[in-house]
Amino acid sequence: MINISYNLQSNRGVYMLIGLFVLCMSCKQADREIAALQTSSLGERISLKYHADLYECKIYLDSLLLTTEHDDLERYYQLSRSYFKRLEPIMAFYDAENYKFLNAPNILKVEEEDATSIKIAAPKSFQVLEESIFVEHPDFDAIHKVADLIRSRLALLEQNSDFSHAKHYHIVWMLRDAIMRVSQTGITGFDSPVLEQSQLEGVFVYQSIKELLESVHTEFEDEALYQKWMEEIDSTISSLQQADFESFDRYAFIKEHTHPQMQLCNDLVSDWNIDFPFTMAIENNATSLFSENTFNFHYFSDYRNRDISQDRIELGKDLFNDANLSKSKAISCATCHIESKAFTDGFAKSKGQSRNSPTLAYVSLQQAYFYDNRAGSLEGQIVSVVNSDTEFHTDLNTLMSAVNKNKAYRRRFDSLYNGKANDYNIRNAIASYIRSLNKFNSKFDNNINGVENSLTQNEINGFNLFMGKAKCATCHFAPVFNGTVPTRYKDTELELLGVPEHNDTINASVDPDLGRFYMYETEERKFFFKTPTVRNIALTAPYMHNGVYETLEEVVDFYNRGGGAGIGIDLEYQTLPPDPLELTEEEQGDLVLFLETLTDTTPEEKIESNVAVLP
């Protein structure tokens, strides 16, 4: 990331005026187009709006390419960016790869399919422009090169975007996708790292959503539902305009706007009598981000894992805890993943291992496994554990033999897997148990879902810091709070934080574990590690891949200083912004208090908690 010291405060008013200008112009344009739109097919309506916004986005990039004045550079960027955010609901849904390219973070992109196919490229995106323009002395040539590439990509999309196949369910998917993106990455500052104009950009997105709904007004059977949508969007826009980046109440926004809008999507499904052809990462009837019913677990596993019955989960749990499956008959999965410690073991590094034992809770809601992302599935991860000399120290054939010698296991596999106690089905049973460890019933979940009302103001402040000023949610994405990127959930990110070998802020040196580098020896991947979930983090100390920090306070202090860069560790590809967060002691304390609310509750604890808040 680029170190930004440019003072932006004096320009905030200018950017708001630009925002108001864009809103005013778009409203006038929308009024002229709505009548024509409502007599067209769904695809034609989407296409007309998409191409109008794309044209404006491209026009202001043209102006940016021609200017050599700093003020004009900033202004044309802002105008082009505003139309890009208006494009977002359609582009991010229909053309996710191009959207990702155009909105990529200013971090070197490394793709490693195997040892013979490694691609490394610097991003060329709006985020790169933002970090390049809003500095004291911008490099006009470099900025123009990036802007020209973006403009060329937009021109290509202008000629090759087809929405003729659009159906009603596409509209619902598109709406839900846009709504979730605003709350999961938009309001966190993920894609506005310098200007932090998340709320203004959210306004552009919701104005675009409103125009989309206006264009399909005639499709509504229930006029009251349409009016409810209009009122909700106006209310959402108003809430986004009420506060600056740091003081914005993200907890209230999600609870009062995101979740009700997810319900409105369901109401629209009923109104349009939609039958979805399939389910993506999010369940088609989800009404909350923070629920065990939010995610489609099949999306995160292969086609063979369609049956995850309670009986399979129980079988997997027994196998998970059975030391007889290891060569020494002294080690089980539960040896390093203890349930009472949120499936970690409490050691800095597990016995015989070089890294900290990661939690298995919520681990199934990601696309890669181990700290270095070397396994692509839970079943694949288990292979490595079985074969490891320092873990099970056996092989799949021996594992299969051990299971088949157990008559009780054989009977259960006869019933649940048609008699096939082969190595894959054994691993699948264990994986089924691990996939069941997504409870979403923590104190935080219960409060944001309205089950109870027990969060303190300091805990709410901590969530707002996590999602805003503290920048935590730009890597630990809600609601799982891990590195699997919403809203498509196809990529699980690796980050370079500069974690020290010892808890030292004076003479710190980076931990020698090279992380992802060991996979393909890609220089640009030295010291990169997967971003794990922070759910149940109060139970999983010590922290980081090497267990260097014993308390959450120490972890927060590390990030507050700017990661490794803040304690004197100079690494070229550190992905964490190197600038100190400048959190006060009270803010650091509130952040810890929020993290402690992410501990899953047992059934007994949940009952006690509910009783406690009854009047």
Side-chain angles (χ1 to χ4, degrees):
M1 304 290 281
I2 296 174
N3 187 4
I4 304 295
S5 58
Y6 186 48
N7 183 0
L8 299 166
Q9 295 303 316
S10 61
N11 295 316
R12 300 290 185 190
V14 175
Y15 304 148
M16 290 304 296
L17 287 174
I18 289 174
L20 291 172
F21 166 78
V22 172
L23 285 177
C24 180
M25 294 301 292
S26 64
C27 287
K28 291 180 179 178
Q29 176 181 310
D31 288 342
R32 291 194 298 268
E33 294 173 351
I34 286 172
L37 284 171
Q38 290 180 345
T39 61
S40 306
S41 70
L42 288 178
E44 289 171 333
R45 300 178 213 187
I46 293 170
S47 181
L48 182 59
K49 172 174 170 43
Y50 179 80
H51 283 92
D53 288 336
L54 193 152
Y55 175 80
E56 295 292 338
C57 181
K58 189 161 60 70
I59 284 294
Y60 287 115
L61 278 174
D62 285 338
S63 298
L64 188 153
L65 284 165
L66 295 173
T67 188
T68 55
E69 296 293 330
H70 196 174
D71 288 347
D72 287 343
L73 201 67
E74 293 179 353
R75 182 163 57 90
Y76 290 134
Y77 167 80
Q78 284 288 109
L79 287 164
S80 181
R81 175 68 177 178
S82 70
Y83 280 99
F84 178 74
K85 294 303 286 189
R86 289 170 54 77
L87 280 167
E88 184 177 275
I90 300 175
M91 183 187 290
F93 175 73
Y94 274 103
D95 198 349
E97 290 304 311
N98 274 309
Y99 171 77
K100 185 168 68 172
F101 174 90
L102 292 166
N103 200 44
N106 190 14
I107 298 171
L108 197 66
K109 183 177 178 61
V110 180
E111 295 181 355
E112 302 170 299
E113 293 184 12
D114 55 50
T116 63
S117 180
I118 299 172
K119 300 176 183 178
I120 301 171
K124 303 291 189 295
S125 65
F126 276 97
Q127 289 196 49
V128 174
L129 284 183
E130 182 175 315
E131 293 195 12
S132 303
I133 290 172
F134 293 90
V135 294
E136 289 280 4
H137 304 290
D139 182 338
F140 280 84
D141 287 341
I143 290 167
H144 286 160
K145 287 179 180 178
V146 173
D148 188 49
L149 194 147
I150 294 173
R151 188 202 175 283
S152 297
R153 181 64 68 103
L154 290 172
L156 186 66
L157 296 180
E158 193 173 33
Q159 299 300 319
N160 295 280
S161 298
D162 179 17
F163 306 102
S164 59
H165 63 290
K167 307 293 183 185
H168 286 89
Y169 60 81
H170 290 131
I171 301 292
V172 175
W173 274 341
M174 190 193 313
L175 289 171
R176 189 184 65 190
D177 189 60
I179 289 162
M180 293 179 65
R181 182 175 293 102
V182 169
S183 63
Q184 292 176 286
T185 58
I187 58 177
T188 68
F190 172 76
D191 57 358
S192 182
V194 179
L195 296 177
E196 295 182 341
Q197 57 180 12
S198 300
Q199 293 97 285
L200 176 59
E201 293 190 348
V203 169
F204 296 141
V205 171
Y206 272 95
Q207 182 65 32
S208 186
I209 290 173
K210 185 174 184 179
E211 290 174 12
L212 279 168
L213 285 170
E214 287 172 337
S215 74
V216 296
H217 185 178
T218 55
E219 306 297 311
F220 280 74
E221 293 291 333
D222 184 354
E223 177 64 19
L225 176 60
Y226 174 78
Q227 294 302 327
K228 195 172 182 179
W229 267 108
M230 295 296 104
E231 291 167 7
E232 170 56 30
I233 291 172
D234 288 343
S235 175
T236 303
I237 290 173
S238 178
S239 73
L240 288 165
Q241 294 172 327
Q242 295 306 309
D244 61 22
F245 180 80
E246 290 191 6
S247 62
F248 184 64
D249 190 343
R250 291 157 175 86
Y251 177 80
F253 181 83
I254 293 171
K255 190 170 185 176
E256 297 171 8
H257 294 290
T258 304
H259 287 171
Q261 287 163 24
M262 292 175 74
Q263 178 58 56
L264 283 175
C265 285
N266 287 346
D267 295 340
L268 193 54
V269 170
S270 298
D271 189 64
W272 288 352
N273 195 27
I274 289 173
D275 183 17
F276 292 101
F278 57 86
T279 306
M280 295 185 285
I282 304 299
E283 290 288 353
N284 288 319
N285 61 352
T287 57
S288 167
L289 290 174
F290 303 90
S291 167
E292 63 180 347
N293 299 317
T294 299
F295 289 96
N296 168 26
F297 75 87
H298 294 306
Y299 183 86
F300 297 88
S301 58
D302 69 35
Y303 70 94
R304 290 176 287 183
N305 303 327
R306 291 297 182 249
D307 181 8
I308 190 170
S309 66
Q310 188 60 38
D311 287 338
R312 285 193 180 186
I313 291 170
E314 291 298 327
L315 172 58
K317 183 176 182 179
D318 289 342
L319 294 167
F320 183 91
N321 288 280
D322 192 345
N324 290 314
L325 302 186
S326 65
K327 183 176 182 179
S328 67
K329 301 190 183 304
I331 296 175
S332 70
C333 301
T335 301
C336 296
H337 300 285
I338 303 167
E339 184 173 3
S340 62
K341 296 181 183 294
F343 299 94
T344 61
D345 61 9
F347 297 109
K349 297 176 182 177
S350 297
K351 185 177 179 181
Q353 305 303 306
S354 61
R355 294 171 184 163
N356 180 261
S357 175
T359 179
L360 295 185
Y362 301 91
V363 75
S364 63
L365 297 175
Q366 58 187 23
Q367 298 291 3
Y369 298 85
F370 292 109
Y371 279 112
D372 52 16
N373 275 7
R374 68 180 182 271
S377 69
L378 278 170
E379 285 82 1
Q381 181 184 35
I382 293 168
V383 173
S384 294
V385 173
V386 170
N387 292 335
S388 171
D389 290 345
T390 57
E391 295 178 272
F392 275 36
H393 191 42
T394 183
D395 57 61
L396 293 175
N397 287 332
T398 305
L399 176 73
M400 187 167 58
S401 176
V403 170
N404 279 284
K405 287 178 182 178
N406 185 307
K407 292 182 179 179
Y409 283 151
R410 282 290 310 148
R411 286 194 296 271
R412 295 165 78 178
F413 273 96
D414 285 345
S415 172
L416 299 173
Y417 288 93
N418 297 318
K420 297 177 181 178
N422 57 35
D423 73 90
Y424 181 84
N425 288 340
I426 293 167
R427 290 182 284 124
N428 175 253
I430 297 172
S432 295
Y433 170 57
I434 297 171
R435 290 188 177 103
S436 73
L437 304 178
N438 311 321
K439 303 303 182 185
F440 288 99
N441 66 356
S442 69
K443 178 181 179 180
F444 175 80
D445 298 314
N446 293 337
N447 276 266
I448 203 164
N449 288 327
V451 175
E452 57 185 85
N453 184 27
S454 59
L455 282 181
T456 68
Q457 188 58 53
N458 292 95
E459 290 166 339
I460 293 173
N461 292 344
F463 172 76
N464 287 328
L465 287 162
F466 187 97
M467 297 287 285
K469 179 181 177 181
K471 308 291 187 184
C472 309
T474 60
C475 292
H476 295 274
F477 303 104
V480 187
F481 300 112
N482 68 3
T484 305
V485 185
T487 57
R488 290 304 175 101
Y489 295 96
K490 288 186 174 181
D491 302 307
T492 296
E493 291 190 337
L494 296 150
E495 304 288 350
L496 169 51
L497 307 178
V499 175
E501 183 175 11
H502 305 290
N503 188 355
D504 185 354
T505 59
I506 305 299
N507 299 300
S509 59
V510 69
D511 186 89
D513 188 338
L514 298 181
R516 177 69 180 185
F517 173 80
Y518 295 126
M519 279 291 293
Y520 303 116
E521 297 189 355
T522 306
E523 282 291 320
E524 292 82 0
R525 275 294 181 257
K526 282 184 175 178
F527 308 112
F528 274 77
F529 295 88
K530 182 180 68 180
T531 304
T533 182
V534 295
R535 283 182 170 273
N536 294 299
I537 197 169
L539 303 177
T540 62
Y543 304 106
M544 304 304 197
H545 69 272
N546 59 354
V548 67
Y549 296 125
E550 295 184 359
T551 69
L552 286 174
E553 287 78 6
E554 291 171 348
V555 174
V556 170
D557 177 71
F558 169 75
Y559 285 107
N560 190 44
R561 292 170 183 268
I567 55 177
I569 297 174
D570 183 17
L571 298 171
E572 180 179 1
Y573 300 112
Q574 178 173 313
T575 57
L576 192 70
D579 299 321
L581 295 172
E582 299 183 351
L583 300 175
T584 67
E585 288 188 12
E586 182 178 7
E587 288 173 330
Q588 292 179 61
D590 287 351
L591 195 52
V592 171
L593 288 173
F594 159 65
L595 291 169
E596 291 173 342
T597 71
L598 292 176
T599 303
D600 288 334
T601 57
T602 64
E604 295 79 12
E605 289 171 331
K606 191 171 183 181
I607 291 171
E608 291 176 4
S609 177
N610 288 341
V611 171
V613 298
L614 290 175

